[in-house]
mmCIF file of all heavy atoms in Angstrom:
data_model
loop_
_atom_site.group_PDB
_atom_site.id
_atom_site.type_symbol
_atom_site.label_atom_id
_atom_site.label_comp_id
_atom_site.label_asym_id
_atom_site.label_seq_id
_atom_site.Cartn_x
_atom_site.Cartn_y
_atom_site.Cartn_z
ATOM 1 N N PRO E 50 -17.457 4.178 -14.332
ATOM 2 C CA PRO E 50 -17.964 5.007 -13.242
ATOM 3 C C PRO E 50 -17.968 4.182 -11.992
ATOM 4 O O PRO E 50 -18.203 2.989 -11.987
ATOM 5 C CB PRO E 50 -19.365 5.301 -13.674
ATOM 6 C CG PRO E 50 -19.465 4.999 -15.112
ATOM 7 C CD PRO E 50 -18.445 3.931 -15.359
ATOM 8 N N VAL E 72 -16.585 14.071 -9.970
ATOM 9 C CA VAL E 72 -17.885 14.706 -10.311
ATOM 10 C C VAL E 72 -18.637 15.024 -9.057
ATOM 11 O O VAL E 72 -18.897 14.139 -8.260
ATOM 12 C CB VAL E 72 -18.713 13.790 -11.263
ATOM 13 C CG1 VAL E 72 -19.967 14.499 -11.671
ATOM 14 C CG2 VAL E 72 -17.896 13.418 -12.469
ATOM 15 N N GLY E 78 -23.616 18.740 -3.326
ATOM 16 C CA GLY E 78 -22.355 18.972 -2.648
ATOM 17 C C GLY E 78 -21.584 17.710 -2.420
ATOM 18 O O GLY E 78 -21.867 16.604 -2.959
ATOM 19 N N ILE E 87 -12.148 11.077 -3.558
ATOM 20 C CA ILE E 87 -10.996 12.006 -3.351
ATOM 21 C C ILE E 87 -9.905 11.253 -2.654
ATOM 22 O O ILE E 87 -8.731 11.383 -3.017
ATOM 23 C CB ILE E 87 -11.475 13.241 -2.552
ATOM 24 C CG1 ILE E 87 -12.411 14.083 -3.417
ATOM 25 C CG2 ILE E 87 -10.265 14.061 -2.126
ATOM 26 C CD1 ILE E 87 -13.084 15.251 -2.659
ATOM 27 N N VAL E 98 -9.085 16.774 -11.035
ATOM 28 C CA VAL E 98 -9.804 17.824 -11.640
ATOM 29 C C VAL E 98 -11.268 17.654 -11.184
ATOM 30 O O VAL E 98 -11.782 16.563 -11.282
ATOM 31 C CB VAL E 98 -9.733 17.840 -13.174
ATOM 32 C CG1 VAL E 98 -10.739 18.815 -13.792
ATOM 33 C CG2 VAL E 98 -8.307 18.150 -13.639
ATOM 34 N N PRO E 107 -31.656 25.319 -10.958
ATOM 35 C CA PRO E 107 -31.762 26.672 -10.297
ATOM 36 C C PRO E 107 -31.423 26.519 -8.784
ATOM 37 O O PRO E 107 -31.843 25.554 -8.179
ATOM 38 C CB PRO E 107 -33.211 27.086 -10.476
ATOM 39 C CG PRO E 107 -33.802 26.095 -11.510
ATOM 40 C CD PRO E 107 -32.933 24.890 -11.501
ATOM 41 N N THR E 124 -8.424 23.438 -2.817
ATOM 42 C CA THR E 124 -8.818 24.821 -2.960
ATOM 43 C C THR E 124 -8.833 25.127 -4.489
ATOM 44 O O THR E 124 -7.858 24.916 -5.189
ATOM 45 C CB THR E 124 -7.870 25.768 -2.285
ATOM 46 O OG1 THR E 124 -7.772 25.288 -0.923
ATOM 47 C CG2 THR E 124 -8.315 27.183 -2.353
ATOM 48 N N GLU E 136 -17.245 24.042 -14.211
ATOM 49 C CA GLU E 136 -18.675 24.037 -13.992
ATOM 50 C C GLU E 136 -19.331 23.481 -15.255
ATOM 51 O O GLU E 136 -19.127 24.032 -16.304
ATOM 52 C CB GLU E 136 -19.169 25.423 -13.622
ATOM 53 C CG GLU E 136 -18.591 25.864 -12.311
ATOM 54 C CD GLU E 136 -18.558 27.390 -12.109
ATOM 55 O OE1 GLU E 136 -19.269 28.087 -12.825
ATOM 56 O OE2 GLU E 136 -17.805 27.855 -11.257
ATOM 57 N N THR E 140 -26.396 17.149 -18.848
ATOM 58 C CA THR E 140 -27.625 17.017 -19.642
ATOM 59 C C THR E 140 -27.835 18.218 -20.569
ATOM 60 O O THR E 140 -28.339 18.059 -21.706
ATOM 61 C CB THR E 140 -28.879 16.854 -18.695
ATOM 62 O OG1 THR E 140 -28.822 17.790 -17.694
ATOM 63 C CG2 THR E 140 -28.946 15.457 -18.108
ATOM 64 N N LYS E 162 3.932 12.201 -20.977
ATOM 65 C CA LYS E 162 4.559 11.879 -22.243
ATOM 66 C C LYS E 162 4.742 10.393 -22.335
ATOM 67 O O LYS E 162 4.783 9.699 -21.369
ATOM 68 C CB LYS E 162 5.940 12.522 -22.289
ATOM 69 C CG LYS E 162 5.940 13.981 -22.553
ATOM 70 C CD LYS E 162 7.337 14.517 -22.606
ATOM 71 C CE LYS E 162 7.327 15.991 -22.717
ATOM 72 N NZ LYS E 162 8.442 16.656 -21.992
ATOM 73 N N ALA E 168 8.768 -1.247 -27.307
ATOM 74 C CA ALA E 168 7.910 -2.444 -27.170
ATOM 75 C C ALA E 168 6.775 -1.945 -26.288
ATOM 76 O O ALA E 168 6.968 -1.262 -25.332
ATOM 77 C CB ALA E 168 8.657 -3.592 -26.565
ATOM 78 N N VAL E 180 -17.485 -16.452 -25.937
ATOM 79 C CA VAL E 180 -17.678 -17.721 -26.698
ATOM 80 C C VAL E 180 -17.205 -17.535 -28.112
ATOM 81 O O VAL E 180 -17.556 -16.551 -28.736
ATOM 82 C CB VAL E 180 -19.160 -18.181 -26.679
ATOM 83 C CG1 VAL E 180 -19.318 -19.533 -27.318
ATOM 84 C CG2 VAL E 180 -19.655 -18.207 -25.244
ATOM 85 N N VAL E 210 -0.769 -11.320 -30.308
ATOM 86 C CA VAL E 210 -1.901 -10.490 -30.629
ATOM 87 C C VAL E 210 -2.501 -10.994 -31.992
ATOM 88 O O VAL E 210 -1.897 -10.885 -33.036
ATOM 89 C CB VAL E 210 -1.495 -9.004 -30.796
ATOM 90 C CG1 VAL E 210 -2.712 -8.162 -31.183
ATOM 91 C CG2 VAL E 210 -0.872 -8.506 -29.484
ATOM 92 N N ASN E 250 9.651 -12.756 -28.453
ATOM 93 C CA ASN E 250 9.050 -13.847 -29.181
ATOM 94 C C ASN E 250 8.068 -14.623 -28.327
ATOM 95 O O ASN E 250 8.061 -14.482 -27.115
ATOM 96 C CB ASN E 250 10.069 -14.737 -29.843
ATOM 97 C CG ASN E 250 10.987 -15.393 -28.814
ATOM 98 O OD1 ASN E 250 10.484 -16.138 -27.942
ATOM 99 N ND2 ASN E 250 12.252 -15.093 -28.876
ATOM 100 N N GLN E 302 -22.046 9.145 11.414
ATOM 101 C CA GLN E 302 -20.987 10.125 11.457
ATOM 102 C C GLN E 302 -20.525 10.416 12.831
ATOM 103 O O GLN E 302 -19.357 10.564 13.139
ATOM 104 C CB GLN E 302 -21.540 11.412 10.751
ATOM 105 C CG GLN E 302 -20.500 12.479 10.422
ATOM 106 C CD GLN E 302 -19.518 11.925 9.350
ATOM 107 O OE1 GLN E 302 -19.875 11.127 8.463
ATOM 108 N NE2 GLN E 302 -18.257 12.376 9.467
ATOM 109 N N PRO E 316 -0.645 8.476 21.681
ATOM 110 C CA PRO E 316 0.673 9.050 21.417
ATOM 111 C C PRO E 316 1.238 8.545 20.057
ATOM 112 O O PRO E 316 1.250 7.336 19.819
ATOM 113 C CB PRO E 316 1.520 8.568 22.601
ATOM 114 C CG PRO E 316 0.753 7.479 23.244
ATOM 115 C CD PRO E 316 -0.682 7.605 22.860
ATOM 116 N N ASP E 318 4.335 9.645 18.636
ATOM 117 C CA ASP E 318 5.761 10.036 18.437
ATOM 118 C C ASP E 318 6.496 8.880 17.817
ATOM 119 O O ASP E 318 7.392 9.101 16.933
ATOM 120 C CB ASP E 318 6.438 10.424 19.718
ATOM 121 C CG ASP E 318 5.591 11.275 20.605
ATOM 122 O OD1 ASP E 318 4.781 12.019 20.021
ATOM 123 O OD2 ASP E 318 5.735 11.285 21.837
ATOM 124 N N ALA E 344 -1.912 -1.770 2.357
ATOM 125 C CA ALA E 344 -1.473 -2.561 3.514
ATOM 126 C C ALA E 344 -2.122 -2.033 4.801
ATOM 127 O O ALA E 344 -1.471 -1.736 5.756
ATOM 128 C CB ALA E 344 0.035 -2.600 3.626
ATOM 129 N N ILE E 347 -8.798 -3.052 8.261
ATOM 130 C CA ILE E 347 -10.091 -2.419 8.259
ATOM 131 C C ILE E 347 -10.704 -2.550 9.660
ATOM 132 O O ILE E 347 -10.815 -3.624 10.218
ATOM 133 C CB ILE E 347 -11.051 -3.020 7.249
ATOM 134 C CG1 ILE E 347 -10.435 -2.862 5.834
ATOM 135 C CG2 ILE E 347 -12.441 -2.319 7.290
ATOM 136 C CD1 ILE E 347 -11.297 -3.519 4.759
ATOM 137 N N ASN E 351 -19.807 -0.905 14.810
ATOM 138 C CA ASN E 351 -21.277 -1.073 14.627
ATOM 139 C C ASN E 351 -21.684 -1.154 13.197
ATOM 140 O O ASN E 351 -22.697 -0.612 12.830
ATOM 141 C CB ASN E 351 -22.005 0.142 15.284
ATOM 142 C CG ASN E 351 -22.181 -0.083 16.783
ATOM 143 O OD1 ASN E 351 -21.999 -1.219 17.247
ATOM 144 N ND2 ASN E 351 -22.546 0.954 17.490
ATOM 145 N N ALA E 362 -12.033 -10.217 1.243
ATOM 146 C CA ALA E 362 -11.110 -10.104 2.388
ATOM 147 C C ALA E 362 -10.379 -11.401 2.566
ATOM 148 O O ALA E 362 -9.163 -11.437 2.840
ATOM 149 C CB ALA E 362 -11.825 -9.677 3.635
ATOM 150 N N ILE E 375 -16.359 1.323 21.871
ATOM 151 C CA ILE E 375 -15.256 2.238 21.432
ATOM 152 C C ILE E 375 -13.980 1.936 22.143
ATOM 153 O O ILE E 375 -12.942 1.835 21.534
ATOM 154 C CB ILE E 375 -15.691 3.693 21.518
ATOM 155 C CG1 ILE E 375 -16.765 3.992 20.468
ATOM 156 C CG2 ILE E 375 -14.469 4.579 21.310
ATOM 157 C CD1 ILE E 375 -17.003 5.437 20.211
ATOM 158 N N GLY E 417 41.555 -17.006 36.611
ATOM 159 C CA GLY E 417 40.990 -17.776 37.743
ATOM 160 C C GLY E 417 40.342 -16.754 38.680
ATOM 161 O O GLY E 417 40.950 -15.848 39.169
ATOM 162 N N VAL E 420 33.606 -15.562 42.301
ATOM 163 C CA VAL E 420 32.419 -14.742 42.054
ATOM 164 C C VAL E 420 32.033 -14.008 43.354
ATOM 165 O O VAL E 420 31.857 -14.569 44.399
ATOM 166 C CB VAL E 420 31.229 -15.599 41.635
ATOM 167 C CG1 VAL E 420 30.005 -14.785 41.305
ATOM 168 C CG2 VAL E 420 31.581 -16.484 40.371
ATOM 169 N N THR E 428 26.376 -18.000 28.758
ATOM 170 C CA THR E 428 25.759 -17.364 27.561
ATOM 171 C C THR E 428 25.774 -15.838 27.629
ATOM 172 O O THR E 428 25.278 -15.126 26.700
ATOM 173 C CB THR E 428 24.308 -17.815 27.405
ATOM 174 O OG1 THR E 428 23.615 -17.636 28.675
ATOM 175 C CG2 THR E 428 24.182 -19.285 27.028
ATOM 176 N N GLN E 446 33.628 -16.734 26.635
ATOM 177 C CA GLN E 446 34.024 -17.770 25.711
ATOM 178 C C GLN E 446 33.994 -19.135 26.356
ATOM 179 O O GLN E 446 33.397 -20.098 25.843
ATOM 180 C CB GLN E 446 35.422 -17.498 25.194
ATOM 181 C CG GLN E 446 35.827 -18.165 23.906
ATOM 182 C CD GLN E 446 35.059 -17.553 22.744
ATOM 183 O OE1 GLN E 446 34.838 -16.342 22.775
ATOM 184 N NE2 GLN E 446 34.665 -18.363 21.795
ATOM 185 N N MET E 462 31.852 -18.946 44.661
ATOM 186 C CA MET E 462 32.519 -20.100 44.030
ATOM 187 C C MET E 462 33.689 -19.601 43.129
ATOM 188 O O MET E 462 33.720 -18.461 42.712
ATOM 189 C CB MET E 462 31.535 -20.887 43.233
ATOM 190 C CG MET E 462 30.467 -21.509 44.108
ATOM 191 S SD MET E 462 29.776 -22.977 43.351
ATOM 192 C CE MET E 462 28.310 -22.373 42.653
#
Side-chain angles (χ1 to χ4, degrees):
V72 182
I87 292 171
V98 168
T124 308
E136 293 158 19
T140 46
K162 284 181 188 146
V180 185
V210 180
N250 60 61
Q302 194 65 31
D318 315 332
I347 301 177
N351 276 346
I375 290 195
V420 181
T428 50
Q446 200 71 35
M462 296 206 261

